[in-house]
Short mmCIF file of all heavy atoms in Angstrom, two decimals:
data_model
loop_
_atom_site.label_atom_id
_atom_site.label_comp_id
_atom_site.label_asym_id
_atom_site.label_seq_id
_atom_site.Cartn_x
_atom_site.Cartn_y
_atom_site.Cartn_z
N LEU A 1 0.82 -1.17 0.02
CA LEU A 1 0.01 0.00 -0.01
C LEU A 1 0.88 1.25 -0.06
O LEU A 1 0.40 2.27 -0.60
CB LEU A 1 -0.92 -0.02 1.31
CG LEU A 1 -2.00 -1.14 1.19
CD1 LEU A 1 -2.74 -1.07 2.52
CD2 LEU A 1 -3.01 -0.79 0.07
N GLY A 2 2.00 1.25 0.64
CA GLY A 2 2.90 2.24 0.63
C GLY A 2 2.44 3.59 1.20
O GLY A 2 2.89 4.70 0.79
N CYS A 3 1.59 3.61 2.18
CA CYS A 3 1.00 4.77 2.87
C CYS A 3 1.83 5.18 3.89
O CYS A 3 2.70 4.40 4.42
CB CYS A 3 -0.47 4.55 3.14
SG CYS A 3 -0.72 3.54 4.55
N VAL A 4 1.74 6.48 4.40
CA VAL A 4 2.42 7.05 5.38
C VAL A 4 1.38 7.72 6.45
O VAL A 4 1.00 8.85 6.31
CB VAL A 4 3.46 8.19 5.02
CG1 VAL A 4 4.27 8.51 6.16
CG2 VAL A 4 4.38 7.60 3.81
N PRO A 5 0.93 6.87 7.45
CA PRO A 5 -0.29 7.35 8.20
C PRO A 5 0.17 8.24 9.39
O PRO A 5 0.09 7.93 10.52
CB PRO A 5 -0.83 5.95 8.71
CG PRO A 5 0.37 5.14 8.81
CD PRO A 5 1.25 5.47 7.70
N PHE A 6 0.70 9.47 9.06
CA PHE A 6 1.04 10.38 10.08
C PHE A 6 -0.10 11.39 10.51
O PHE A 6 -0.14 11.91 11.56
CB PHE A 6 2.34 11.21 9.72
CG PHE A 6 2.12 11.95 8.53
CD1 PHE A 6 1.35 13.23 8.40
CD2 PHE A 6 2.69 11.63 7.39
CE1 PHE A 6 1.17 13.96 7.37
CE2 PHE A 6 2.67 12.30 6.16
CZ PHE A 6 1.75 13.46 6.19
N SER A 7 -1.14 11.29 9.72
CA SER A 7 -2.47 12.17 10.15
C SER A 7 -3.59 11.49 9.43
O SER A 7 -3.55 10.80 8.55
CB SER A 7 -2.16 13.64 9.59
OG SER A 7 -2.34 13.69 8.17
N TRP A 8 -4.77 11.91 10.06
CA TRP A 8 -5.93 11.51 9.37
C TRP A 8 -6.15 11.71 7.92
O TRP A 8 -6.55 10.92 7.20
CB TRP A 8 -7.20 12.09 10.12
CG TRP A 8 -8.56 11.20 9.90
CD1 TRP A 8 -9.07 10.29 10.48
CD2 TRP A 8 -9.43 11.56 8.88
NE1 TRP A 8 -10.12 9.77 9.95
CE2 TRP A 8 -10.45 10.75 8.87
CE3 TRP A 8 -9.51 12.49 7.84
CZ2 TRP A 8 -11.53 10.73 8.07
CZ3 TRP A 8 -10.54 12.66 6.95
CH2 TRP A 8 -11.61 11.59 7.08
N ALA A 9 -5.70 12.95 7.43
CA ALA A 9 -5.70 13.32 6.04
C ALA A 9 -4.86 12.41 5.20
O ALA A 9 -5.12 12.11 4.06
CB ALA A 9 -5.40 14.70 5.87
N SER A 10 -3.58 12.03 5.86
CA SER A 10 -2.73 11.13 4.98
C SER A 10 -3.21 9.74 4.95
O SER A 10 -2.80 9.11 4.00
CB SER A 10 -1.30 11.19 5.73
OG SER A 10 -1.31 10.51 6.81
N SER A 11 -4.01 9.20 5.84
CA SER A 11 -4.54 7.86 5.76
C SER A 11 -5.58 7.77 6.88
O SER A 11 -5.25 7.30 7.99
CB SER A 11 -3.22 6.88 6.11
OG SER A 11 -3.74 5.52 5.91
N PRO A 12 -6.78 7.94 6.48
CA PRO A 12 -7.86 7.79 7.51
C PRO A 12 -7.90 6.30 8.13
O PRO A 12 -8.08 6.21 9.27
CB PRO A 12 -9.14 8.10 6.76
CG PRO A 12 -8.68 8.95 5.57
CD PRO A 12 -7.30 8.52 5.30
N ALA A 13 -7.71 5.42 7.28
CA ALA A 13 -7.84 3.94 7.73
C ALA A 13 -6.43 3.66 8.55
O ALA A 13 -6.68 2.97 9.65
CB ALA A 13 -7.97 3.03 6.71
N GLY A 14 -5.47 4.16 8.20
CA GLY A 14 -4.22 3.83 9.00
C GLY A 14 -4.28 4.57 10.32
O GLY A 14 -3.85 3.80 11.23
N VAL A 15 -4.66 5.76 10.49
CA VAL A 15 -4.80 6.37 11.67
C VAL A 15 -5.83 5.76 12.61
O VAL A 15 -5.60 5.35 13.84
CB VAL A 15 -4.95 7.76 11.71
CG1 VAL A 15 -5.26 8.53 12.85
CG2 VAL A 15 -3.73 8.60 11.02
N GLU A 16 -7.01 5.53 11.97
CA GLU A 16 -8.10 4.97 12.88
C GLU A 16 -7.87 3.50 13.29
O GLU A 16 -8.29 3.24 14.33
CB GLU A 16 -9.40 5.11 12.05
CG GLU A 16 -9.87 6.66 11.89
CD GLU A 16 -11.32 6.79 11.48
OE1 GLU A 16 -12.22 5.86 11.62
OE2 GLU A 16 -11.67 7.92 11.12
N LEU A 17 -7.13 2.78 12.45
CA LEU A 17 -6.88 1.30 12.74
C LEU A 17 -5.91 1.39 13.98
O LEU A 17 -5.91 0.53 14.82
CB LEU A 17 -6.39 0.52 11.61
CG LEU A 17 -6.22 -0.85 11.93
CD1 LEU A 17 -7.44 -1.57 12.23
CD2 LEU A 17 -5.44 -1.59 10.73
N GLU A 18 -4.95 2.27 13.93
CA GLU A 18 -4.00 2.28 14.95
C GLU A 18 -4.65 2.72 16.25
O GLU A 18 -4.26 2.12 17.37
CB GLU A 18 -2.85 3.47 14.61
CG GLU A 18 -1.69 3.35 15.72
CD GLU A 18 -0.43 4.03 15.01
OE1 GLU A 18 -0.17 3.82 13.75
OE2 GLU A 18 0.38 4.47 15.76
N HIS A 19 -5.57 3.69 16.19
CA HIS A 19 -6.24 3.99 17.49
C HIS A 19 -7.02 2.72 17.99
O HIS A 19 -6.93 2.54 19.19
CB HIS A 19 -7.20 5.12 17.28
CG HIS A 19 -6.52 6.54 16.97
ND1 HIS A 19 -7.22 7.62 16.53
CD2 HIS A 19 -5.19 6.87 17.23
CE1 HIS A 19 -6.36 8.64 16.58
NE2 HIS A 19 -5.29 8.08 16.82
N LEU A 20 -7.65 2.10 16.97
CA LEU A 20 -8.46 0.87 17.42
C LEU A 20 -7.61 -0.23 18.09
O LEU A 20 -7.99 -0.71 19.12
CB LEU A 20 -9.18 0.36 16.26
CG LEU A 20 -10.09 -0.85 16.51
CD1 LEU A 20 -11.27 -0.55 17.44
CD2 LEU A 20 -10.56 -1.44 15.18
N VAL A 21 -6.52 -0.55 17.36
CA VAL A 21 -5.70 -1.71 17.86
C VAL A 21 -5.09 -1.40 19.19
O VAL A 21 -4.87 -2.25 20.06
CB VAL A 21 -4.79 -2.19 16.87
CG1 VAL A 21 -5.46 -2.82 15.69
CG2 VAL A 21 -3.70 -1.21 16.42
N LEU A 22 -4.69 -0.12 19.35
CA LEU A 22 -4.12 0.36 20.62
C LEU A 22 -5.19 0.14 21.83
O LEU A 22 -4.84 -0.28 22.94
CB LEU A 22 -3.54 1.71 20.62
CG LEU A 22 -2.22 1.96 20.40
CD1 LEU A 22 -1.26 1.61 21.48
CD2 LEU A 22 -1.71 1.30 18.98
N ASP A 23 -6.38 0.35 21.49
CA ASP A 23 -7.50 0.16 22.42
C ASP A 23 -7.64 -1.34 22.71
O ASP A 23 -7.79 -1.78 23.81
CB ASP A 23 -8.80 0.90 21.98
CG ASP A 23 -8.70 2.37 22.36
OD1 ASP A 23 -7.79 2.88 22.77
OD2 ASP A 23 -9.79 3.04 22.06
N TRP A 24 -7.72 -2.12 21.65
CA TRP A 24 -7.76 -3.61 21.79
C TRP A 24 -6.72 -4.15 22.73
O TRP A 24 -7.05 -4.76 23.73
CB TRP A 24 -7.57 -4.22 20.41
CG TRP A 24 -8.79 -4.21 19.55
CD1 TRP A 24 -10.03 -3.61 19.66
CD2 TRP A 24 -8.95 -5.09 18.35
NE1 TRP A 24 -10.90 -3.81 18.57
CE2 TRP A 24 -10.29 -4.76 17.87
CE3 TRP A 24 -8.15 -5.86 17.63
CZ2 TRP A 24 -10.71 -5.33 16.74
CZ3 TRP A 24 -8.77 -6.48 16.48
CH2 TRP A 24 -9.97 -6.21 15.94
N VAL A 25 -5.44 -3.85 22.36
CA VAL A 25 -4.36 -4.39 23.17
C VAL A 25 -4.25 -3.78 24.54
O VAL A 25 -4.08 -4.50 25.49
CB VAL A 25 -3.02 -4.20 22.53
CG1 VAL A 25 -1.88 -4.67 23.34
CG2 VAL A 25 -3.05 -4.83 21.09
N GLY A 26 -4.70 -2.52 24.76
CA GLY A 26 -4.85 -1.90 26.08
C GLY A 26 -5.84 -2.63 27.01
O GLY A 26 -5.43 -2.89 28.07
N LYS A 27 -6.95 -2.99 26.50
CA LYS A 27 -7.99 -3.74 27.19
C LYS A 27 -7.45 -5.25 27.48
O LYS A 27 -7.74 -5.65 28.48
CB LYS A 27 -9.11 -3.69 26.44
CG LYS A 27 -9.88 -2.40 26.28
CD LYS A 27 -11.17 -2.29 25.42
CE LYS A 27 -11.70 -0.82 25.17
NZ LYS A 27 -12.86 -1.05 24.17
N MET A 28 -6.83 -5.72 26.50
CA MET A 28 -6.48 -7.09 26.57
C MET A 28 -5.28 -7.26 27.74
O MET A 28 -5.43 -8.26 28.55
CB MET A 28 -5.66 -7.64 25.32
CG MET A 28 -6.66 -7.86 24.11
SD MET A 28 -5.88 -7.93 22.57
CE MET A 28 -4.76 -9.30 22.77
N VAL A 29 -4.39 -6.21 27.97
CA VAL A 29 -3.52 -6.35 29.04
C VAL A 29 -4.01 -5.79 30.34
O VAL A 29 -3.30 -5.74 31.27
CB VAL A 29 -2.08 -5.68 28.47
CG1 VAL A 29 -1.59 -6.42 27.33
CG2 VAL A 29 -2.23 -4.23 28.46
N GLY A 30 -5.13 -5.18 30.35
CA GLY A 30 -5.78 -4.69 31.60
C GLY A 30 -5.34 -3.21 31.97
O GLY A 30 -5.23 -2.80 33.05
N LEU A 31 -5.09 -2.32 30.97
CA LEU A 31 -4.71 -0.96 31.23
C LEU A 31 -6.14 -0.31 31.72
O LEU A 31 -7.10 -0.61 31.13
CB LEU A 31 -4.14 -0.31 30.07
CG LEU A 31 -2.72 -0.61 29.72
CD1 LEU A 31 -2.34 0.17 28.41
CD2 LEU A 31 -1.72 -0.23 30.84
N PRO A 32 -5.99 0.80 32.53
CA PRO A 32 -7.15 1.57 32.91
C PRO A 32 -7.73 2.24 31.75
O PRO A 32 -7.12 2.52 30.77
CB PRO A 32 -6.49 2.56 33.98
CG PRO A 32 -5.35 1.94 34.46
CD PRO A 32 -4.80 1.12 33.37
N GLU A 33 -9.04 2.53 31.84
CA GLU A 33 -9.76 3.18 30.74
C GLU A 33 -9.17 4.43 30.30
O GLU A 33 -9.16 4.83 29.04
CB GLU A 33 -11.24 3.39 31.23
CG GLU A 33 -12.06 4.14 30.26
CD GLU A 33 -12.29 3.33 28.92
OE1 GLU A 33 -12.25 2.10 29.01
OE2 GLU A 33 -12.59 3.99 27.93
N HIS A 34 -8.59 5.20 31.30
CA HIS A 34 -8.01 6.49 30.84
C HIS A 34 -6.95 6.38 29.84
O HIS A 34 -6.45 7.52 29.33
CB HIS A 34 -7.68 7.51 32.08
CG HIS A 34 -6.60 6.88 32.88
ND1 HIS A 34 -6.92 6.46 34.24
CD2 HIS A 34 -5.43 6.60 32.73
CE1 HIS A 34 -5.84 5.95 34.81
NE2 HIS A 34 -4.83 6.05 33.93
N PHE A 35 -6.29 5.32 29.57
CA PHE A 35 -5.28 5.10 28.62
C PHE A 35 -5.89 4.77 27.15
O PHE A 35 -4.95 4.81 26.32
CB PHE A 35 -4.29 3.95 28.97
CG PHE A 35 -3.44 4.32 30.12
CD1 PHE A 35 -3.49 3.70 31.44
CD2 PHE A 35 -2.27 5.06 29.78
CE1 PHE A 35 -2.67 3.99 32.28
CE2 PHE A 35 -1.40 5.28 30.81
CZ PHE A 35 -1.44 4.87 32.08
N MET A 36 -7.19 4.63 27.14
CA MET A 36 -7.64 4.19 25.73
C MET A 36 -7.90 5.60 24.93
O MET A 36 -8.24 6.63 25.39
CB MET A 36 -9.04 3.63 25.97
CG MET A 36 -9.01 2.37 26.80
SD MET A 36 -7.95 1.02 26.20
CE MET A 36 -6.85 0.98 27.49
N ASN A 37 -7.78 5.36 23.61
CA ASN A 37 -8.01 6.48 22.69
C ASN A 37 -9.47 6.82 22.80
O ASN A 37 -9.86 7.98 22.58
CB ASN A 37 -7.62 6.03 21.22
CG ASN A 37 -6.21 6.05 20.94
OD1 ASN A 37 -5.57 7.08 21.05
ND2 ASN A 37 -5.69 4.80 20.70
N SER A 38 -10.41 5.91 23.02
CA SER A 38 -11.83 6.14 23.16
C SER A 38 -12.15 6.98 24.32
O SER A 38 -13.31 7.36 24.48
CB SER A 38 -12.60 4.85 23.11
OG SER A 38 -12.17 3.96 24.34
N SER A 39 -11.31 7.03 25.29
CA SER A 39 -11.56 7.83 26.53
C SER A 39 -11.71 9.32 26.34
O SER A 39 -12.42 10.03 27.21
CB SER A 39 -10.53 7.57 27.55
OG SER A 39 -9.23 8.18 27.21
N GLY A 40 -11.13 9.95 25.33
CA GLY A 40 -11.05 11.25 25.06
C GLY A 40 -10.01 12.00 25.91
O GLY A 40 -9.83 13.20 25.89
N GLN A 41 -9.33 11.28 26.76
CA GLN A 41 -8.32 11.91 27.82
C GLN A 41 -6.96 11.47 27.39
O GLN A 41 -6.10 12.25 27.10
CB GLN A 41 -8.65 11.49 29.13
CG GLN A 41 -7.54 11.93 30.24
CD GLN A 41 -7.79 11.42 31.60
OE1 GLN A 41 -8.92 10.91 31.87
NE2 GLN A 41 -6.88 11.58 32.36
N GLY A 42 -6.68 10.15 27.29
CA GLY A 42 -5.40 9.69 27.00
C GLY A 42 -5.53 8.96 25.61
O GLY A 42 -6.27 9.40 24.83
N GLY A 43 -4.59 8.03 25.44
CA GLY A 43 -4.64 7.23 24.09
C GLY A 43 -3.32 6.67 23.97
O GLY A 43 -2.37 6.62 24.75
N GLY A 44 -3.11 6.00 22.74
CA GLY A 44 -1.96 5.32 22.43
C GLY A 44 -1.64 5.33 20.88
O GLY A 44 -2.48 5.74 20.09
#
């Protein structure tokens, strides 16, 4: 694909998938909610 996902404009799927899988793994290892991208406070 050769994309460079540094911003939503550069690759919407690339950025949003990164936010999603960081939440997936964060929940899998038991991180508190405030570390999730979905929290609106922290993220990964």
Side-chain angles (χ1 to χ4, degrees):
L1 293 173
C3 69
V4 186
F6 56 76
S7 72
W8 193 89
S10 73
S11 179
V15 170
E16 293 196 14
L17 185 63
E18 188 158 329
H19 289 170
L20 177 66
V21 297
L22 264 293
D23 282 3
W24 276 14
V25 177
K27 293 173 184 176
M28 287 162 61
V29 301
L31 287 177
E33 177 62 27
H34 57 247
F35 281 109
M36 303 301 119
N37 285 297
S38 57
S39 71
Q41 175 186 343

